[in-house]
Amino acid sequence: MSAAADSLRVWLRGEVAAVLRRKVTPPPFILWCDPEGTWRDLLRAAAEGGAFELWADGEHELLLRDRLRKAAPAPRVLWLPVASEEIGYLKVFELHADQVWTESLVSALARFGVELARDHEAGLRDMLRTYALEHIDQPRSSWRDLTPGSAKSALVDEDQILAALARRNTPIVDIIGEARRSIFTRRVIEDFGLPAPIPGKDEDWRTAATAHLLVTDAAARAPAEPPKEGDKIIPAGTARDRALKLLDRWQKNVELLGAFEELARQADGTTSLVYWARSLSGTVPALASRAAEEAVFQREVERIAPQEDFEPLARLLEEREPFYTTHAQAFWGRQAEQKVAWQSLVTLARAASLLRLQVGVEKSWKAPSEAVVWFTTSGWEVDRQGEQLWKDDPGLPGGLQGVRARLRRAYLRHLDGCNAAFSELLQHHGIASLGLPFAGEVLALERPSRDPMAVLVLDACRYDLGARIAELLDRGEPVRRSEVRPARAPLPSITALGMPFALAEDPGRLTVELTTATPVRWRVTASDGAQDLTVAEARRAWLRQRFKLKPAATSDVKSVLDADPPAPKDTGRLLFVFGDEFDVQGHEGELEFTGADEHVERYVRVVRRLRDAGYPTVAIVTDHGFIHWEPGLDEVKEVPTGEVLWRSRRAVVGRGLKHPTAIALPVEGSDLECRVPRSVNTFRTYGGTGFLHGGATLQELVTPVVIFRWPKKAEKVAAVLTPVSEITSLRPRVEVRAGAGQSAMFGADAKMTGRQILVKVVEPGSGRRLFRSPSCKIEAQGQPVTITLDREAHETCARGTRLQVEVRDADNDELLDHCDVELKVDLEEWD
């Protein structure tokens, strides 16, 4: 940085030059007396670049006298760390000096043009030299309004204080510099109300300072019931405000989150906040102390756990949901590595609230179509919440197990009650009263006449799963890209029949029959071909033939994810991609246990890859839905009598069938009759339970057709990495945000689309990957995203190694942004 024309450096050089440029013999020199060491570094800065000759090594006067006698006379400045009256061996030179400088920095600054108020001089004395050195190149105007407070802030700012507090195992003096130690001490005491640092005990100070922040935060958030540790509470006022702002910044600094977690847990051990939180009489906002947050959480568990009946339990959870959500969105609920399980309470509360809202909804239905409207507008949300109730939650505290069990029973009652009413309506009004087309009919209407289209054909994609895929792809988009249209599965709602009807444009041209061979199997043919469309490969061949497509026009999910999808020119502008993960995992019992999140995200990625491959329209169709149900003894019904040709737990097919309660419905495309048990009941026959389809519940029968449309020239949002300098944790975190300039002048640009990204940390020379994140979405209009990286197993690396953080497109591995970092931990071999 070049010095301003009216800077202190230029002024000081002028003062020296005014003496050294005198044309005298011998050449002029200055003895600069500086007993407090105020001027030495300022003179060195002024002399940079050969502005003048400076002797300021600090050697003994006797040595300096000998050096002067041996040196050729020249204009120079001799710096002496003594007052003029204390000069000894150089006394003779003092008599010959052209100037003996004894002026203080305060006085010199006044001549420079910076007048210090008399009442500020004492407060500035310890800082003035450092401040002057920091501002030596600044214009005179930057010195305006110089006070002890402004000087402290300029020399040790909030960033340095936060770094000194959070960078564990790093000496504070290495962060702020030795010259600023006293200023740092003054700032943390006077401006932040924190305890005084103790030389050599930096880690103890960090723990103590963090404890002050945690206790003060608790006092500020519960002013009517503050903690009793008054010695750790920063008094209300400016210092408290600064300290709490510092705490807030710490909890938001992606590089320092890990340090906050560790120090907060250590500091908790030195406070009594856990006991304070347990004794609170009212609610309290989210706290910075993990121990206190955990205690507040346990109080909530103890409050709701005794509620045995659904109605009071659901009402209480619904009332408390905003409180739970506030805590779940705060540091210990969302950002922390070791979270407090507030999100589990939020999940239970949302499920309870929705179940309570939907109690008795079926009583208003007068026709099957009304049930369908409810199911496709809001009813599917109950199934989403039901899945969350059954999905394994390893972080669910033991005290909430009973609460979840009661909500599970409520969901099963809801599922049974709604479908019992739906079954009754189907019995009286028939299947045609649904007013729903088959998925293939919807697909025919939505297919563009010229533009490329891809169709993702999924097995057992229940309506809520299709809606969730649409929801995820729409998230962060400037405009809605998806439309979810209801369709229906044929009966029995099984893959053999559902797939042909999900793909055929005209279901009236399909013929359905049961073979006479043993074992009996289904056969479906189209009027324009002899292929058996119940066979997967035959369906693919029929599609290529029907639409005059190239061999690459049929693929599967794995192939699309493992390699670039075929371009429209290689398929004939229409591509069918098949996936069966929902069905396979459902029958294996994994889907209920793990939930569908992983598969939903997998299919979202497939849709994005199809879009990026040149298909601006992507559709999702499915063959049928499913229910999770373990029938009780009273829910297992005898098989219908008559000519039974085919049977399963959820449907029996034949002719002349009779049953006292089962619903009689036609088998589309045939002269066969289907009997399905009411609601969630099953027939006493072969086949597993738990994951069921084939029947006529809303979840099995009503299927989603999801249509996504993007502009032909859609542009992905840029992804920008917030720079980091160090990796200090085995699970580092980074922040990524949408790039600037991603919005049109008058709102969101409809051509802009979100981007799925992942973050890697690699060794530049070898390309070896040391850390990697899961993929996440950067939204065009979204907030910055904090991403936690996981260490790659068995990779080692030494502390101090320079690495590179890379942000890449998760779909095509394009490098989007990067920065260099230094590894501050050792990566050692692990099993």
Side-chain angles (χ1 to χ4, degrees), residues 760-775:
K760 306 175 183 177
V761 178
V762 300
E763 191 176 49
S766 65
R768 196 163 53 102
R769 190 173 68 205
L770 302 177
F771 298 92
R772 176 190 173 95
S773 76
S775 68

Side-chain angles (χ1 to χ4, degrees), residues 71 107 119 180 269 276 281 333 369 373 376 408 416 432 498 657 672 811:
S107 174
D119 56 343
R180 293 179 177 82
W276 165 79
S281 60
S369 58
V373 169
T376 56
R408 283 177 172 179
D416 187 15
L657 301 178
L672 298 171
D811 298 323

